[in-house]
Amino acid sequence: MNQNNTINIRAIRNKKSIKKDLSLQPKNIHDQYYQESDDSEDEKILSKIGRLQTKKYKDKDFIGYDENLNKIQKKKQFQDTIDEFINKTENKDWWRVVRDELNNQDVVLSDKQLQLLDRIRTGKTAIKLSDDYYFEHEDFNQFDLLSSYNPKRRFLPSKWERIKINKLVQGIKLGRIVLNPPQKVEKMFDIWENVAEDQVLSKYLPARIPASKAQLPSNVASYNPPEEYLFTEQEKQQWLQTDPEDREIPFIPQKFKHLRNVPSSEQLAKDLFNRCLDLYLAPRIRRKKLMMKSTDFLPEIPKPEELKPFPTKLNFEFGQIDTTKSGQVKQISISQDGQLLGVCYEFAIAFFDTKTSKCLYTKWQSDDKQFLGLDFSSSGLICILQSNGFIILNSYIDKRQHPNVEDGEKANKQIPKNSNNVFEWNFELDDNVFQQLLEVKMPYDPLYAQFHSKSDYIVSTQPHTHVKSHCILVHSISKSSTSIPFQNMKASTEVQQTIFHPTKPELYIMTNKNIFIYSLTKQQLMKKLLAGNQQNSTIAIHPYGDNLIVGSNDQKVCWFDLDMGKTPFKKMSYHKNGVRRVIFHKTYPLFASCSDDGTINIFHCRISTDLNQAPVILPLKVLKQKKKESVMDVAFHPTQPWIYSASKEGVVSLWT
């Protein structure tokens, strides 16, 4: 051929052919082939153990057999890490050594092998390609073989093709030509449509179930098994003494030199008969698999947007009074009609109008006494706790009279003045905006008080008393008397808070560890609830009266269902510090908790009238203070989905 028409191929490597006469080769022909070959697939494997597990040679001094059936002895390794460390210090190329577990030897990597591994790690080709791996071919069509030139019509657009294309475009626009017309599908009909279901034979036939597969033989059943599988005399006697049903192997392994020396099996007919019995008597069950996801087992949780309305953002902050004189906030409370918001400071009581956020009245305290809390009744009375007693105010500006107060004043006049009564009732009126109706003096400080739903009784809690029976007191306004419901109380009992049931004559007493439910009519203990907290701090009852929540100083909020048991139905740990207050909303399915970490958690609680259905509790929103101040108390609006909060520095906020 001409040199211009040749194809130059550079550096095409071929493997060395081994087509020599086998009779002229030495005995170690395989070793010579492995030495000459440079293919990684031709690496020689010394140990010929097949699929046998390596744990069979764990207690042996060899790892297998070579191609001549000679034992390959194990190579001694380091006894401990000290010997291995000494070897690393003496051998500078220890980092090149790679352990070959299959052949039980150490392989030292060369520089070329390390370079190859480095290229593979970086995502490059194993071998760097040079120009020798590519070939070039010269363009031999330098001269045109035809002497004539192409006519001009070959370089101009065809007139007739343009006319034909215009006709096709016009046909598509007018609808004569339809692109990708729908294919006609032949209607299929059921030939058994008129046949009744009871006449179909397949209805009564069982479904086909495939037969069970026989167990495949393993290496033990080989005619030339390794020595590890052969029985010793002791194992053989033990196998013969065991019951045939309890034997792990149904035969004794034997070793034969050739396959032709293997005799016929004596148990062949018995094995075939047992296989037929397995196919005939095997219990077959068709199991239906349920294609279900893990999310299908979870209950359907509604989205927070579907559970509105609930507080989501800060609306405004009420005007502050002089905090240097008033001190920290103790408690906040809202009236039953939602018009007044009372804030109890250490040395002042402030009443705000909820519609205009205007401070209507401020009552200051002297230096030797402090305010401890307040509570509104359903009839417009305000109970304000202070040092050594409490006072009752009239929340109505028109100063209307209350029948319970009038009855209590009449009953107080009948009590002799010289009686040795520890609790002193004084009915004295003043001319303030919120008129003071009466004052009760006690020898200790009440920390918490609550009105009964009928506004006649007040229960107060005094944890720090010298007389343990006086830690819980019930005050009657109409009778102007104070009763002690628990005369025999243990000295170890530390009462934290006491509240009335909203509808039943029951009293709930919360201690550091437990909650006791006491019946006022039967005058006996009804139930004891085990909260499991380190120290309980606050309690609230649902308006229905069948559920209650308890907050603790160990960052937990426990929900109790009184119909389920004595232990909490659910425990929630969403706060980072101790819980200050937990409250329920009176009209909306909401409850909230506040903590010293400066957050207010809003929850959705749906309680069904069906006793078999458990309550649904879902977290909705986390309200955070601007300065991350500890929230001392919270209060829900009685008719709106609003919540009021009071921080430690005296900032009262409205969240809507």
Side-chain angles (χ1 to χ4, degrees):
M1 293 178 62
N2 192 4
Q3 294 182 358
N4 296 330
N5 299 335
T6 58
I7 300 176
N8 298 328
I9 302 175
R10 300 178 181 177
I12 300 177
R13 301 191 314 173
N14 296 325
K15 293 185 178 180
K16 295 181 180 181
S17 60
I18 48 173
K19 298 182 179 179
K20 298 180 181 180
D21 189 8
L22 296 176
S23 61
L24 300 178
Q25 297 296 328
K27 294 183 180 180
N28 55 354
I29 181 173
H30 299 288
D31 297 341
Q32 183 178 358
Y33 173 72
Y34 289 133
Q35 293 174 2
E36 294 179 357
S37 175
D38 58 350
D39 194 351
S40 61
E41 297 181 356
D42 296 336
E43 294 178 355
K44 188 173 181 180
I45 301 176
L46 301 178
S47 178
K48 309 295 183 179
I49 61 175
R51 297 182 179 179
L52 186 62
Q53 299 179 359
T54 55
K55 65 179 182 180
K56 293 291 184 179
Y57 300 99
K58 184 178 180 180
D59 300 332
K60 306 292 181 180
D61 56 350
F62 61 97
I63 62 171
Y65 304 91
D66 58 4
E67 58 186 3
N68 297 325
L69 298 181
N70 296 325
K71 295 182 179 179
I72 300 175
Q73 300 297 328
K74 289 185 178 179
K75 187 177 179 180
K76 293 184 180 180
Q77 299 181 2
F78 303 110
Q79 297 181 358
D80 51 9
T81 55
I82 298 177
D83 296 340
E84 185 178 359
F85 177 74
I86 295 173
N87 184 40
K88 288 182 179 181
T89 55
E90 295 177 355
N91 187 9
K92 296 182 180 180
D93 296 335
W94 63 269
W95 57 277
R96 294 173 175 261
V97 179
V98 178
R99 181 67 179 174
D100 186 1
E101 296 292 344
L102 185 60
N103 294 326
N104 194 22
Q105 63 182 1
D106 296 336
V107 180
V108 181
L109 300 178
S110 62
D111 296 339
K112 189 174 182 180
Q113 291 174 341
L114 292 174
Q115 185 179 4
L116 185 140
L117 293 176
D118 187 30
R119 291 184 62 84
I120 293 175
R121 286 182 179 178
T122 55
K124 301 178 180 178
T125 58
I127 301 174
K128 186 176 181 181
L129 301 179
S130 61
D131 295 338
D132 298 338
Y133 287 88
Y134 301 94
F135 64 90
E136 298 178 358
H137 67 89
E138 298 180 359
D139 188 7
F140 53 86
N141 294 326
Q142 296 180 359
F143 302 100
D144 195 357
L145 300 178
L146 300 177
S147 60
S148 62
Y149 295 98
N150 292 328
K152 183 180 179 181
R153 64 178 179 273
R154 295 189 182 179
F155 301 97
L156 297 176
S158 177
K159 172 185 176 182
W160 304 106
E161 289 181 358
R162 177 173 55 82
I163 295 173
K164 188 174 182 179
I165 291 173
N166 291 337
K167 288 183 179 181
L168 293 175
V169 172
Q170 187 177 7
I172 292 173
K173 290 181 179 180
L174 297 177
R176 294 194 304 267
I177 302 175
V178 180
L179 300 177
N180 299 326
Q183 299 179 358
K184 295 182 180 180
V185 181
E186 297 182 0
K187 294 184 179 180
M188 307 298 293
F189 60 94
D190 188 7
I191 61 176
W192 304 101
E193 183 178 1
N194 299 326
V195 180
E197 292 184 0
D198 54 354
Q199 298 179 4
V200 181
L201 296 177
S202 61
K203 179 181 178 181
Y204 301 98
L205 295 177
R208 180 185 176 276
I209 301 176
S212 59
K213 297 181 180 180
Q215 186 177 4
L216 298 176
S218 60
N219 295 340
V220 187
S222 175
Y223 74 94
N224 189 13
E227 296 180 358
E228 292 79 19
Y229 289 110
L230 299 178
F231 284 175
T232 60
E233 291 296 333
Q234 183 179 0
E235 293 176 349
K236 186 176 181 180
Q237 294 297 330
Q238 185 178 1
W239 184 87
L240 294 173
Q241 292 176 2
T242 55
D243 191 81
E245 296 181 356
D246 299 336
R247 294 172 182 172
E248 296 181 359
I249 305 174
F251 56 90
I252 299 176
Q254 297 180 9
K255 189 172 185 178
F256 300 95
K257 190 174 182 181
H258 303 287
L259 182 60
R260 61 178 178 269
N261 296 336
V262 179
S264 61
S265 177
E266 298 177 356
Q267 300 180 354
L268 179 60
K270 188 176 180 180
D271 293 343
L272 295 176
F273 179 73
N274 291 334
R275 175 60 180 166
C276 293
L277 290 179
D278 293 341
L279 296 176
Y280 173 65
L281 301 175
R284 300 168 185 172
I285 301 175
R286 183 176 292 275
R287 301 182 183 274
K288 294 183 179 180
K289 294 184 178 180
L290 298 177
M291 304 303 293
M292 300 181 68
K293 300 180 181 179
S294 58
T295 55
D296 297 340
F297 297 96
L298 299 176
E300 295 183 0
I301 299 176
K303 297 181 180 179
E305 290 77 10
E306 300 176 0
L307 302 177
K308 287 185 177 181
F310 57 86
T312 57
K313 60 182 179 180
L314 178 64
N315 195 323
F316 65 89
E317 296 179 352
F318 288 85
Q320 300 183 17
I321 62 176
D322 192 359
T323 55
T324 58
K325 298 180 180 180
S326 62
Q328 296 181 357
V329 176
K330 290 289 187 179
Q331 188 179 357
I332 63 174
S333 181
I334 192 168
S335 60
Q336 299 295 329
D337 54 2
Q339 296 182 0
L340 291 179
L341 176 66
V343 183
C344 176
Y345 298 89
E346 288 183 346
F347 303 103
I349 296 288
F351 295 96
F352 296 91
D353 188 359
T354 57
K355 295 182 179 180
T356 61
S357 70
K358 179 182 179 181
C359 184
L360 302 178
Y361 174 67
T362 304
K363 182 178 179 60
W364 295 91
Q365 185 67 278
S366 58
D367 296 338
D368 56 343
K369 292 184 179 182
Q370 292 183 3
F371 289 117
L372 303 175
L374 80 161
D375 186 40
F376 283 88
S377 69
S378 59
S379 61
L381 297 179
I382 307 173
C383 177
I384 299 176
L385 303 180
Q386 59 183 3
S387 301
N388 298 331
F390 62 89
I391 58 177
I392 303 295
L393 300 182
N394 185 3
S395 63
Y396 296 106
I397 301 177
D398 55 359
K399 300 180 181 180
R400 68 182 71 171
Q401 295 295 326
H402 292 267
N404 294 333
V405 178
E406 293 178 356
D407 296 341
E409 187 176 1
K410 294 178 182 179
N412 188 36
K413 293 180 180 179
Q414 298 178 2
I415 300 175
K417 297 183 180 180
N418 297 329
S419 60
N420 297 326
N421 192 359
V422 181
F423 310 101
E424 182 180 353
W425 290 66
N426 297 324
F427 291 83
E428 297 180 358
L429 303 178
D430 56 9
D431 295 332
N432 294 326
V433 177
F434 293 95
Q435 188 179 24
Q436 179 176 337
L437 302 179
L438 62 94
E439 181 181 2
V440 179
K441 295 182 180 180
M442 297 184 295
Y444 19 75
D445 301 338
L447 294 184
Y448 186 82
Q450 185 198 22
F451 271 104
H452 192 263
S453 58
K454 296 182 180 180
S455 304
D456 188 19
Y457 292 95
I458 300 173
V459 60
S460 62
T461 307
Q462 298 77 220
H464 309 293
T465 58
H466 300 290
V467 183
K468 272 295 177 182
S469 60
H470 290 184
C471 63
I472 300 175
L473 300 176
V474 178
H475 312 275
S476 176
I477 300 176
S478 61
K479 298 179 182 178
S480 69
S481 62
T482 301
S483 60
I484 304 172
F486 304 100
Q487 296 288 345
N488 301 323
M489 187 171 288
K490 295 182 180 179
S492 60
T493 304
E494 296 182 4
V495 180
Q496 298 295 327
Q497 189 175 346
T498 309
I499 57 176
F500 284 113
H501 192 277
T503 56
K504 299 179 182 179
E506 295 176 355
L507 197 64
Y508 287 74
I509 304 170
M510 183 186 69
T511 61
N512 284 339
K513 302 290 184 180
N514 308 315
I515 297 95
F516 298 91
I517 303 176
Y518 184 79
S519 176
L520 297 175
T521 55
K522 298 180 181 180
Q523 296 185 0
Q524 63 181 6
L525 181 65
M526 296 178 59
K527 187 181 289 187
K528 177 182 178 181
L529 304 178
L530 306 176
N533 300 327
Q534 295 181 359
Q535 185 178 6
N536 299 328
S537 59
T538 177
I539 185 175
I541 304 179
H542 194 270
Y544 293 166
D546 295 333
N547 298 269
L548 61 92
I549 49 177
V550 177
S552 62
N553 291 332
D554 52 350
Q555 312 168 8
K556 295 180 181 179
V557 176
C558 302
W559 178 287
F560 285 90
D561 192 341
L562 301 180
D563 297 331
M564 287 189 177
K566 300 180 181 180
T567 56
F569 167 71
K570 189 173 185 179
K571 283 190 176 183
M572 295 158 283
S573 301
Y574 294 104
H575 290 289
K576 297 181 181 179
N577 291 332
V579 180
R580 285 279 185 175
R581 183 75 63 191
V582 290
I583 53 170
F584 279 105
H585 201 287
K586 293 186 178 181
T587 55
Y588 289 91
L590 300 172
F591 77 91
S593 63
C594 65
S595 173
D596 289 335
D597 57 1
T599 60
I600 304 170
N601 290 341
I602 308 297
F603 296 88
H604 171 82
C605 55
R606 184 174 59 208
I607 300 174
S608 176
T609 55
D610 188 5
L611 298 178
N612 296 326
Q613 189 173 359
V616 179
I617 304 171
L618 298 173
L620 296 177
K621 187 69 175 178
V622 179
L623 307 177
K624 297 182 180 180
Q625 295 282 353
K626 293 182 179 179
K627 299 180 181 180
K628 295 184 179 181
E629 304 169 355
S630 60
V631 183
M632 305 300 292
D633 197 4
V634 289
F636 273 118
H637 194 278
T639 58
Q640 299 293 336
W642 303 341
I643 190 171
Y644 298 89
S645 65
S647 63
K648 191 174 182 180
E649 294 186 359
V651 180
V652 181
S653 307
L654 171 62
W655 306 81
T656 59

